[in-house]
Amino acid sequence: MSKDLKFETRAIHVGQERDAATGATIVPVYQTATFTQDAIGKNRGYEYSRNDNPTRHALEDALASLEGGRFCFAYASGMAAIAGVAGILKSGDHVVVADDLYGGTYRLFSKQLPNLGIQFTYVDATRPEEIDKAVTPDTQMIWIESPTNPLLRLVDISACAEIASRHGAHLVVDNTFATPYLQNPLALGAHISVHSTTKYIGGHSDVIGGAVVVDDDDLRDRLLLVRNATGGVPGPWDAWLTLRGLKTLAVRMRQHEINAAQVAEFLLTRNEISQVYYPGLPDHPGHEIAKQQMRGFGGMVAIAMEGGAAAAERLCEATKIFCLGESLGGAESLIGYPWSMSHGAFPPEEKRRKGITEATVRLSVGIEDADDLCDDLRQALDRSARAG
Ligand SMILES: *Cc1c(COP(=O)(O)O)cnc(C)c1O
């Protein structure tokens, strides 16, 4: 499939040619653990589904193309993908981590990997010079997210890539919030792009998955070894659902952004809200970096409630269309309370240092009608104001 094809076309066609055996237009769910061999040592490209499976392979080819790398590995979850990348580290290695980090990644990096002799230093990556200062001779990886969760800070990926390359380390970018539609870390110089496909890529809140994309042969070999050795692969059905979601990523992301921009504008008009965080707002601190390294501002919005914890909790429980729940990136809008939900794994002082308070509320703006979403937030704010 030609590299010149546009994103929308590649999402629907790369890796998804008609099925060679039957002509099926849509990639079938190859629900099989093993593949019958023609003779010992002679097979038709597949042996055993932990190593490779045609449904999963189609997803990997499509994602590699969209993310602009030659190799993609799919995993059973975003955390399995992250653990798969961390699995190429060895005892004595050091990692510089952006302290604005997904809670599950923080759990892995703070509770498990130090037991294996891997060391982590946390820095404010919105100031890349802090990364540079934290690098040691043992630093093998620099790990960032952008935009970050939940306050949507922007990290300059090219600047971090330059630092990583200068020190012979790999820059890993968790690109879950932006998706390949809005941002391609490898094109900005990063070495490894990681995704929780559970979020926007799957897009329908019905399947857990993860993926890693690289362009380097050595990284490919090391990641493949770890994934094969540890086995955190998605089943064929999950790969199929993720691939079905991926086909509509572009149209969904466009609508997420239109809706999020309208919701952010609406929230700015409400005096119960002391701060609106959305990278598309011109006074957002990362607005300029977002314009440089992204093709849009995405569908996540965060707010700080003037009335503190009580007001934030009341709002989370008063919406009718926004569902109170973990996760993000689905067609349906979600509201969440980072203090005790997505960021519950961080100690309180850590949260405060990151700017997350008991007044912070996070919105994953879905692709329902934007007026309905604003009306829902309006009624919820009105009702919770009366209750307070
Ligand atoms: C959800 C998420 C993960 C973890 O993915 P799972 O699919 O839940 O395991 C990692 N990074 C980010 C930024 C996420 O939002």
Side-chain angles (χ1 to χ4, degrees):
M1 192 72 48
S2 162
K3 279 209 157 153
D4 303 331
L5 294 171
K6 299 287 194 298
F7 187 97
E8 289 80 348
T9 313
R10 284 183 282 135
I12 293 169
H13 292 288
V14 171
Q16 302 164 76
E17 293 77 25
R18 69 174 201 166
D19 182 53
T22 64
T25 306
I26 297 304
V27 174
V29 183
Y30 281 93
Q31 188 67 46
T32 182
T34 189
F35 299 82
T36 302
Q37 309 195 3
D38 295 322
I40 294 171
K42 192 160 173 280
N43 60 52
R44 303 183 186 185
Y46 295 93
E47 290 172 344
Y48 185 64
S49 283
R50 170 156 40 75
N51 304 62
D52 201 1
N53 171 282
T55 313
R56 194 176 86 211
H57 200 104
L59 171 65
E60 292 172 339
D61 280 353
L63 270 176
S65 166
L66 299 181
E67 192 60 302
R70 281 180 300 149
F71 312 111
C72 171
F73 297 103
Y75 293 83
S77 68
M79 284 318 304
I82 289 166
V85 172
I88 71 175
L89 295 167
K90 61 183 187 318
S91 175
D93 285 350
H94 174 249
V95 184
V96 180
V97 193
D99 59 11
D100 237 352
L101 192 64
Y102 177 70
T105 312
Y106 176 72
R107 193 180 299 126
L108 178 72
F109 287 2
S110 63
K111 298 249 163 32
Q112 196 200 356
L113 296 183
N115 299 336
L116 305 179
I118 299 163
Q119 270 159 18
F120 297 86
T121 302
Y122 294 85
V123 300
D124 174 4
T126 61
R127 294 185 299 151
E129 64 275 16
E130 297 294 314
I131 296 179
D132 208 8
K133 279 191 231 153
V135 169
T136 76
D138 295 324
T139 304
Q140 293 293 331
M141 267 182 201
I142 294 169
W143 194 292
I144 63 171
E145 298 178 9
S146 185
T148 66
N149 182 16
L151 297 181
L152 306 161
R153 294 203 174 93
L154 271 286
V155 176
D156 185 335
I157 296 175
S158 307
C160 295
E162 186 276 316
I163 294 167
S165 298
R166 181 152 43 78
H167 294 286
H170 290 123
L171 177 67
V172 185
V173 179
D174 184 333
N175 200 28
T176 300
F177 270 45
T179 83
Y181 181 67
L182 295 181
Q183 174 170 284
N184 296 121
L186 301 186
L188 297 164
H191 306 91
I192 303 179
S193 172
V194 184
H195 289 276
S196 167
T197 59
T198 311
K199 314 294 169 53
Y200 288 106
I201 288 177
H204 296 74
S205 303
D206 53 10
V207 58
I208 300 281
V212 174
V213 180
V214 296
D215 199 48
D216 177 89
D217 291 286
D218 178 54
L219 281 174
R220 170 197 178 271
D221 293 347
R222 292 162 72 188
L223 289 164
L224 182 60
L225 177 81
V226 173
R227 193 184 61 171
N228 233 341
T230 54
V233 295
W237 272 107
D238 285 2
W240 188 88
L241 276 170
T242 305
L243 184 58
R244 183 164 77 164
L246 182 64
K247 287 173 193 273
T248 56
L249 180 63
V251 285
R252 285 186 287 106
M253 289 313 289
R254 289 198 282 266
Q255 196 61 45
H256 279 297
E257 178 164 344
I258 290 169
N259 288 5
Q262 188 175 325
V263 163
E265 288 296 338
F266 164 72
L267 294 169
L268 281 173
T269 68
R270 298 292 302 211
N271 54 17
E272 301 93 334
I273 295 168
S274 53
Q275 182 93 39
V276 178
Y277 305 88
Y278 182 63
L281 296 173
D283 63 351
H284 184 83
H287 182 67
E288 288 307 317
I289 299 176
K291 280 204 294 195
Q292 279 164 32
Q293 68 187 23
M294 299 176 72
R295 290 179 288 271
F297 303 110
M300 298 299 294
V301 178
I303 52 178
M305 297 296 293
E306 189 70 52
E313 284 170 20
R314 278 199 305 275
L315 176 65
C316 287
E317 291 168 7
T319 54
K320 293 176 175 161
I321 297 174
F322 281 83
C323 302
L324 175 61
E326 296 285 8
S327 199
L328 59 110
E332 65 294 324
S333 294
L334 293 176
I335 189 164
Y337 188 55
W339 186 263
S340 61
M341 292 172 62
S342 56
H343 290 65
F346 292 97
E349 63 280 7
E350 264 298 305
K351 283 186 275 225
R352 276 188 224 290
R353 209 164 54 78
K354 294 181 212 298
I356 302 165
T357 72
E358 287 101 322
T360 309
V361 173
R362 188 184 81 176
L363 301 171
S364 171
V365 181
I367 57 173
E368 302 96 335
D369 181 86
D371 292 336
D372 286 344
L373 295 180
C374 292
D375 286 347
D376 187 37
L377 291 166
R378 183 180 297 112
Q379 70 76 27
L381 287 164
D382 290 347
R383 268 200 315 142
S384 45
R386 282 200 297 277

